Amino acid sequence: MAHKADLLEPWGAYLAQARRRSPHTVRAYVATASRLLDGLGESDWGTLAQLDAATLRAHLAARRQDGIGNVSAARELSALKAFLIFAREKAGTPQATAPRLRGPRVKKGLPRPITPDEAVNLAAGVEEDAAQPWIGARDRAVLLLLYGAGLRIAEALSLTGAALPLGETLTVTGKGGKQRVVPLLPIVRDAVADYLAKSPWPVSRDAALFRGAKGGPLSQGMVQKAVARARVVLGLPASATPHALRHSFATHLLGAGADLRSLQELLGHASLGSTQIYTQVDAAVLLDVYRNAHPRERG
């Protein structure tokens, strides 16, 4: 029987290198596989290749007793199916597929956009709250990339000096290594230029564009903490997160007349189905406006 590390290390390497998953996803998928191996005891690729739906169902039932909800259970099932397909391929099983097991129903929540004024005020608030001027300029530039260009926070923080000088468009590498070209508004370009002018760290093609206080790559956690502080000062709702800025970018573009196919390209969605959720968001925003403004609703 193989040692657990002999199974988890190639699984993690496969996710990171072949599937180009984010470090966060790799950690989560490896942890999920580790829990399965702990429950099974001694295992090897051959043993894992023989696992059936009943065994997988029993494992997930035990996890539900630990208190995980539908969303977490669905994610674990997806990760386990991927791991078992990998195991069957390692074991040489022909036409390797995952055990057939339906996950719990998960109600897909709608993104909660914030208004354009709130987005701009949030970026300004983060800048004003920073310990040093260059850190404030950095955080404002990051947030404007999320709201002004629709980048995911991981995409913004993965930019390097090779992206410079910024022009009217920016090539972004998104999920799965897929590249897309997004337009850059002058306010976004100016914010990045302001950060670079104030930053104490030199810019090189291979180094992270956005640096932490000690010079290393800026982490998502630091951006999230800065936003949380500014949100309290500005009295913004808890939904005003860095990721909400990307949702707001999509919702406001759709409300201004953008078509779904163009929005899909700008957001880097693999399927149009992922973009179609914003049609519901836009309708929800309009309904809120109606409820707040219509005399009959207010009366």
Side-chain angles (χ1 to χ4, degrees), residues 19 39 44 48 57 63 69 82 96 98 110 121-123 125 132 147 151 172 187 192 198 209 234 247 251 263:
R19 298 298 300 276
D44 54 23
L48 291 170
R57 188 180 296 109
R63 289 288 293 141
L110 294 178
N121 288 341
L122 185 61
Q132 299 180 52
Y147 178 63
L151 270 60
V172 180
I187 188 175
V192 175
K198 294 175 178 176
L209 183 62
L234 295 169
H247 289 320
T251 304
L263 194 56

Side-chain angles (χ1 to χ4, degrees), residues 192-208:
V192 175
D194 182 50
Y195 154 65
L196 292 173
K198 294 175 178 176
S199 174
W201 305 106
V203 179
S204 64
R205 287 185 58 84
D206 298 329

Side-chain angles (χ1 to χ4, degrees), residues 98-115:
R100 290 193 173 187
L101 183 61
R102 181 174 295 179
R105 283 195 165 192
V106 177
K107 184 177 180 180
K108 196 168 186 179
L110 294 178
R112 300 180 64 185
I114 58 179
T115 68

Side-chain angles (χ1 to χ4, degrees), residues 5-264:
D6 295 332
L7 303 174
L8 295 179
E9 287 177 7
W11 171 230
Y14 166 76
L15 290 169
Q17 298 165 16
R19 298 298 300 276
R20 304 190 72 171
R21 299 296 189 186
S22 70
H24 174 76
T25 299
V26 172
R27 286 193 298 271
Y29 273 43
V30 169
T32 298
S34 178
R35 284 190 292 268
L36 175 67
L37 294 175
D38 288 340
L40 294 174
E42 293 187 355
S43 300
D44 54 23
W45 296 124
T47 303
L48 291 170
Q50 299 301 316
L51 284 188
D52 56 15
T55 304
L56 203 55
R57 188 180 296 109
H59 174 74
L60 288 172
R63 289 288 293 141
R64 294 301 291 266
Q65 289 180 348
D66 291 338
I68 67 171
N70 281 1
V71 174
S72 296
R75 287 174 181 163
E76 290 224 357
L77 177 58
S78 177
L80 288 172
K81 283 183 174 181
F83 179 54
L84 293 183
I85 291 174
F86 179 73
R88 291 179 177 186
E89 290 174 347
K90 296 289 284 186
T93 304
Q95 297 181 338
T97 58
R100 290 193 173 187
L101 183 61
R102 181 174 295 179
R105 283 195 165 192
V106 177
K107 184 177 180 180
K108 196 168 186 179
L110 294 178
R112 300 180 64 185
I114 58 179
T115 68
D117 284 344
E118 287 174 337
V120 174
N121 288 341
L122 185 61
V126 164
E127 182 175 24
E128 293 171 2
D129 184 61
Q132 299 180 52
W134 79 268
I135 291 178
R138 176 201 69 192
D139 292 347
R140 179 173 180 267
V142 171
L143 296 189
L144 287 181
L145 278 168
L146 308 189
Y147 178 63
L151 270 60
R152 300 176 177 93
I153 187 170
E155 292 169 347
L157 299 187
S158 68
L159 293 174
T160 66
L164 302 176
L166 293 181
E168 294 186 352
T169 61
L170 175 67
T171 300
V172 180
T173 302
K175 290 184 176 180
K178 182 180 178 182
Q179 290 192 325
R180 68 185 188 279
V181 177
V182 298
L184 287 182
L185 298 171
I187 188 175
V188 179
R189 297 199 301 269
D190 290 347
V192 175
D194 182 50
Y195 154 65
L196 292 173
K198 294 175 178 176
S199 174
W201 305 106
V203 179
S204 64
R205 287 185 58 84
D206 298 329
L209 183 62
F210 295 107
R211 306 287 195 91
K214 296 182 179 180
L218 179 62
S219 69
Q220 292 189 28
M222 294 306 296
V223 178
Q224 290 162 345
K225 287 178 181 177
V227 168
R229 290 194 303 269
R231 190 172 64 220
V232 172
V233 173
L234 295 169
L236 295 178
S239 57
T241 63
H243 195 57
L245 292 173
R246 174 174 151 90
H247 289 320
S248 302
F249 163 85
T251 304
H252 299 159
L253 277 182
L254 187 62
D259 65 274
L260 279 175
R261 189 64 71 177
S262 298
L263 194 56
Q264 177 190 0

